[in-house]
Amino acid sequence: MKLRNMIGAALCAAITLAVPAAHAQNYKSEYKLSIVVGTTFPWGQGATIWSDLVRERTDGRINIKVYPGTSLVQGDQTREFTAIRQGVIDMAVGSTINWSPQVRQLNLFSLPFLMPDYAAIDALVQGEVGQELFKVIEKAGVVPLAWGENGYRQLSNSRHPVSKPEDLKGLKLRVVGSPLYIDTFTALGANPTQMSWADAQPALASGAVDGQENPLSIYTGAKLYDVAQKYLTLWNYVADPLVFVVNREVWESWSEADRKIVREAALEAGKRQIAIARKGVTPQDPSLLKEIEGHGVTVTSLTQEQHAAFVKATKPVYDKWKSRIGQELVDLAEKSIAARTK
């Protein structure tokens, strides 16, 4: 009887051990995680943190490899969301801007001058607006897990300082592949040119375009001051939240325990990534700005009156896109920002 009990216990233990092992046999040997930039940028650091946490906490069952430069879609960042939905890409830390052609509600963050400060960004992504947008993304066939941040997009050019809308007249500026950006810069009198980030850097170096708009972490990480981008305007006209996501079929192929691990790792990586993205670019810590000035860059900070002139010039664009994005969503965003704790 004792022997029978021992054999039974051993069989139960073997079966228990075999269940996760058998489940893991259905897992891929590698999961492809896409990002637009390199792994040294704050954006890329967030992806690396996530992949490392997941690998460690699943004991290697979920092995994630980061693919920078949107290499899984030949550098075309506007195709990334579709590729995730189709299963060409397993996971991503993606830009709300790049995914807005497929998910129109994500254009919210690109409404000119919607978010006046970091507290406003937080009020949106960590509140009701963020929850609503996650529902939209999930309905589109992709599982969203956490928010990250690429940061406020600032303006640089090789010609002259920009402190008023008239200074943009005729400037050829690289913008992302979004109609909203074309409308915004056209309203300001510039000549916006859609171009992938992979093509943008050589275009700036050759002078094919005069300028671009990107967060300061991208500006410094790509050393744009070395490709004639010597005039920088701080105007905080839009911000670019990031989203940590997984392809739906991949998500459903994992055990419930592993899904919990991946979600918690994404939330932790998102918080750490946001802290990295804001380092050196806040009023409390402007160290990155000082570093930029050290490269001979002329930095222009707008006064309240100058800022108001840009807001006024882009108001028709804001109003036009408010209905396209969704009146209720934009109203909720405006109310959330008004009620924020500064």
Side-chain angles (χ1 to χ4, degrees):
M1 187 71 178
K2 187 176 180 183
L3 178 61
R4 189 187 303 168
N5 288 342
M6 288 174 65
I7 292 170
L11 282 171
C12 286
I15 290 168
T16 303
L17 288 170
V19 169
H23 205 295
Q25 285 177 2
N26 298 323
Y27 286 21
K28 296 182 181 182
S29 59
E30 175 190 290
Y31 291 91
K32 297 179 172 64
L33 191 161
S34 175
I35 54 172
V36 170
V37 298
T39 54
T40 58
F41 294 86
W43 183 344
Q45 290 178 53
T48 300
I49 291 168
W50 187 25
S51 63
D52 289 346
L53 287 174
V54 171
R55 188 181 302 108
E56 176 188 327
R57 293 175 183 178
T58 61
D59 296 321
R61 283 190 305 279
I62 299 178
N63 178 45
I64 302 168
K65 181 178 178 181
V66 178
Y67 285 79
T70 25
S71 53
L72 298 172
V73 283
Q74 292 75 51
D76 185 353
Q77 58 220 57
T78 58
R79 286 175 50 211
E80 186 180 55
F81 188 83
T82 300
I84 301 162
R85 190 162 46 191
Q86 294 172 342
V88 175
I89 295 171
D90 300 312
M91 308 168 72
V93 178
S95 158
T96 52
I97 296 171
N98 293 334
W99 294 355
S100 61
Q102 288 80 38
V103 185
R104 62 177 171 79
Q105 292 89 340
L106 293 179
N107 281 293
L108 173 75
F109 300 108
S110 297
L111 281 175
F113 303 102
L114 169 67
M115 298 166 284
D117 50 37
Y118 285 106
I121 302 174
D122 293 340
L124 297 188
V125 299
Q126 305 303 335
E128 283 186 75
V129 170
Q131 293 169 15
E132 289 301 314
L133 288 172
F134 268 21
K135 290 177 187 175
V136 172
I137 293 170
E138 190 143 22
K139 195 177 288 186
V142 176
V143 181
L145 303 177
W147 290 100
E149 186 171 288
N150 195 22
Y152 275 112
R153 300 177 77 87
Q154 314 296 6
L155 179 72
S156 73
N157 81 94
S158 60
R159 296 287 192 86
H160 51 246
V162 172
S163 60
K164 56 187 182 297
E166 292 77 14
D167 295 333
L168 284 170
K169 188 174 182 180
L171 283 184
K172 190 171 184 180
L173 300 175
R174 176 266 174 180
V175 296
V176 293
S178 163
L180 177 45
Y181 283 76
I182 295 293
D183 285 355
T184 297
F185 283 94
T186 300
L188 290 168
N191 178 13
T193 302
Q194 290 186 358
M195 193 178 292
S196 73
W197 182 239
D199 293 333
Q201 296 174 80
L204 291 166
S206 68
V209 292
D210 300 315
Q212 59 84 55
E213 46 77 56
N214 252 310
L216 294 180
S217 60
I218 303 290
Y219 177 90
T220 53
K223 298 182 179 179
L224 295 186
Y225 41 75
D226 285 341
V227 287
Q229 297 297 292
K230 292 291 190 180
Y231 300 98
L232 180 67
T233 297
L234 307 179
W235 63 341
N236 288 8
Y237 85 116
V238 300
D240 182 18
L242 305 174
V243 192
F244 290 66
V245 302
V246 180
N247 164 271
R248 179 177 287 168
E249 289 184 9
V250 169
W251 179 254
E252 291 174 352
S253 74
W254 293 333
S255 69
E256 189 175 338
D258 281 342
R259 288 199 294 264
K260 185 173 185 287
I261 289 171
V262 174
R263 185 186 297 277
E264 289 177 352
L267 289 166
E268 182 177 333
K271 287 179 182 176
R272 289 166 61 180
Q273 190 275 329
I274 289 171
I276 294 168
R278 293 183 183 181
K279 187 177 181 181
V281 297
T282 64
Q284 296 76 25
D285 175 19
S287 55
L288 191 58
L289 284 173
K290 292 177 181 176
E291 179 188 324
I292 290 169
E293 288 176 328
H295 291 282
V297 177
T298 299
V299 178
T300 300
S301 296
L302 301 181
T303 64
Q304 285 188 347
E305 292 76 14
Q306 290 170 333
H307 184 269
F310 282 100
V311 174
K312 182 180 179 181
T314 55
K315 185 67 165 54
V317 177
Y318 186 106
D319 292 340
K320 171 185 173 181
W321 277 86
K322 186 172 184 176
S323 60
R324 291 189 179 186
I325 293 164
Q327 184 84 30
E328 288 186 15
L329 181 65
V330 178
D331 285 346
L332 178 59
E334 291 171 349
K335 287 176 185 175
S336 300
I337 291 170
R340 74 193 184 281
T341 302
K342 297 183 184 179

